[in-house]
Amino acid sequence: MSWKIWSLKKSPWVFHVNTGACNNCDIEIVNLLTPKFDVERFGIKLVGSPRHADALLVTGVVTRQAAPRLQEVYRQTSKPCVVFAIGACACDKGIFTTGYHVVGPVDKIIREVDPNAIIAYVPGCPPKPEAMISGIVQALSVL
Amino acid sequence: MSVPLNVLFWIVVIPGTVVLGLLACWIVRKVSALVQWRVGPPLFQPFYDVVKLMGKEILVPQEAQKAVFMAAPLVGMAGVLLLSIMLWRVAFVPAKPFVGDIIVAIYLMVLPSLALILGSSASASPHAAVGTSREMKLVMGYELSLVLALIVVIIKTGGTLNLAEIAQHTTVFSISNMLAFLVALLCVQAKLGFVPFDIAEAETEVASGVLMEYSGALLAVWKLAHAIMLVALPLFLVIVFLGGFDVTFLTMVFRGTFEPTLIMPLVWSICKYVLVLVLLILIKNTNPRVRIDQAMKFFWVYCGVALVAAIILATIGKNFGVSWL
Ligand code: SF4
């Protein structure tokens, strides 16, 4: 394991991208930072700019408007980085499958930019904070 | 101090300051976590962060002024390193000062902010531009107050511009200097970019503002510069206001003599440093962010009035020999 991957596992900084979620998944993500779950214990930090991020937490079905933005955000993230599809919507469009404005899911849109992107899926509607922590830990352990 | 030891000391001082800075970073995050009833990050977290950033890709925006964008973090880093070396020199070799080093210290303290302004305005990002304009106004705001606060100290200590001589007085035990200390503490808060004065970096409004376009190793240099500032600025306050940083014990050990009675002043000095740091952290954790116009008004109007009063008190105290004024 190279030192880059080792240190990445020790301090994954995350950037939160909403691509048309119902806002419930987003609330659960913010929940991770509260005293009860306190992900700063693992060095996870929410950052304000994709340039600083090591992981993108993407929530929501990707809408037609959001798709180019998501790709742009992915391009602006400094590599190596991991994409997390958080919630049933982001994993496989969830309850919005037949929506007229939906071009998702997340992995399809990201792979249009980078076919080798590392994508992890955390299902649930919304996923529990515990599920997200476990998803992040599992994704990082296979890096 | 024999010559090889002397050389060894000046080699150790830069990595030592960096390590102390990362430790101070950890203290900031840990104490903030404890205030919020969280567990907080592990001890080596700031170290992991910097190592990780070193290994990441460096992205430079297409329209950026590349040379300035890349050079700015190094200039800022050089400024704070020079400042911390100067302060350590005051602490370790107080017998060899140069006149007016407090003025050099004031200039060196502005350097990181100026470098940040240059770097972020070179990045051609609208968010960074907003951050830059805020940072510029903030610098104009607190610089005046900081210089006035230092003038109070200079009046109090009899007009000396020499940090080593100022360090021999515990100036804070008088009304005028208490006021000056409080204002200087808030100025340091603003210099460090801590809440309530993190207006330039406001993550929720301008997405990290001034630092927005920095990534990878360049961001790591900014983080290191900030870590060193966490050592240098409280140390500056300790030297100017709280009676200096006494490291005679360490210099004795360097010379090869062990003097147990000198441990206490060293421990006391470290306590003073930690006290200043914890005060900064507590202010950080108990206040909401202010707007830029509120910050400028605060520094120019309220702090300005307090400092003018302090200058008058200090002058009266000096001329009539009243030591507590
Ligand atoms: S997965 Fe469920 S909770 Fe999350 S955005 Fe979709 S509908 Fe909302």
Side-chain angles (χ1 to χ4, degrees), chain B residues 111-135:
Chain B
L111 208 55
S113 311
L114 287 187
L116 195 57
I117 290 171
L118 267 183
S120 69
S121 54
S123 71
S125 150
H127 282 95
V130 176
T132 311
S133 95
R134 291 180 178 188
E135 174 83 18

Side-chain angles (χ1 to χ4, degrees), chain A residues 21-22 24-25 87-89 96 124-126:
Chain A
C22 76
N24 210 341
C25 281
C89 285
F96 300 112
C125 182

Side-chain angles (χ1 to χ4, degrees), chain B residues 75-116:
Chain B
V75 173
M77 179 86 167
V80 278
L81 267 182
L82 214 56
L83 173 70
S84 62
I85 288 176
M86 239 184 72
L87 296 177
W88 286 128
R89 207 186 125 90
V90 171
F92 277 95
V93 237
K96 288 192 210 158
F98 64 95
V99 178
D101 48 4
I102 196 167
I103 295 175
V104 181
I106 293 174
Y107 275 98
L108 285 179
M109 281 194 287
V110 195
L111 208 55
S113 311
L114 287 187
L116 195 57

Side-chain angles (χ1 to χ4, degrees), chain A residues 6 19 31 41:
Chain A
W6 172 80
T19 58
N31 206 357
R41 283 177 296 159

Side-chain angles (χ1 to χ4, degrees), chain B residues 87 90-92 94 101-102 153 157 160-172 235-246 269 272:
Chain B
L87 296 177
V90 171
F92 277 95
D101 48 4
I102 196 167
V153 176
T157 49
T160 173
L161 290 178
N162 190 327
L163 279 175
E165 278 175 35
I166 290 175
Q168 283 158 11
H169 305 74
T170 311
T171 49
V172 81
L235 192 66
F236 180 75
L237 286 185
V238 168
I239 287 176
V240 172
F241 290 98
L242 303 180
F245 200 81
D246 191 334
S269 304
K272 284 191 282 196

Side-chain angles (χ1 to χ4, degrees), chain A residues 8 13 19 21-22 29 59 70 73 75 85 88 98-99 101 106-107 113 125 128 140:
Chain A
L8 189 75
W13 290 0
T19 58
C22 76
I29 286 177
T59 57
L70 175 61
V73 167
R75 271 193 230 108
T98 52
H101 60 298
V106 170
D107 50 359
V113 196
C125 182
K128 286 191 167 187
L140 289 179

Side-chain angles (χ1 to χ4, degrees), chain A residues 41-139:
Chain A
R41 283 177 296 159
F42 312 119
I44 302 177
K45 202 166 95 170
L46 204 59
V47 291
S49 159
R51 300 251 192 234
H52 307 177
D54 310 302
L56 297 177
L57 299 184
V58 187
T59 57
V61 282
V62 185
T63 61
R64 212 182 302 134
Q65 291 286 328
R69 275 94 184 165
L70 175 61
Q71 290 174 338
E72 191 56 38
V73 167
Y74 181 78
R75 271 193 230 108
Q76 299 211 353
T77 310
S78 63
K79 311 291 174 307
C81 80
V82 187
V83 178
F84 285 94
I86 303 276
C89 285
C91 292
D92 192 27
K93 298 194 264 186
I95 54 171
F96 300 112
T97 316
T98 52
Y100 65 95
H101 60 298
V102 174
V103 295
V106 170
D107 50 359
K108 184 180 131 216
I109 303 295
I110 296 278
R111 290 211 200 278
E112 278 173 16
V113 196
D114 178 6
N116 299 321
I118 310 167
I119 302 180
Y121 305 85
V122 183
C125 182
K128 286 191 167 187
E130 290 94 335
M132 290 187 202
I133 295 177
S134 125
I136 290 174
V137 169
Q138 281 180 24

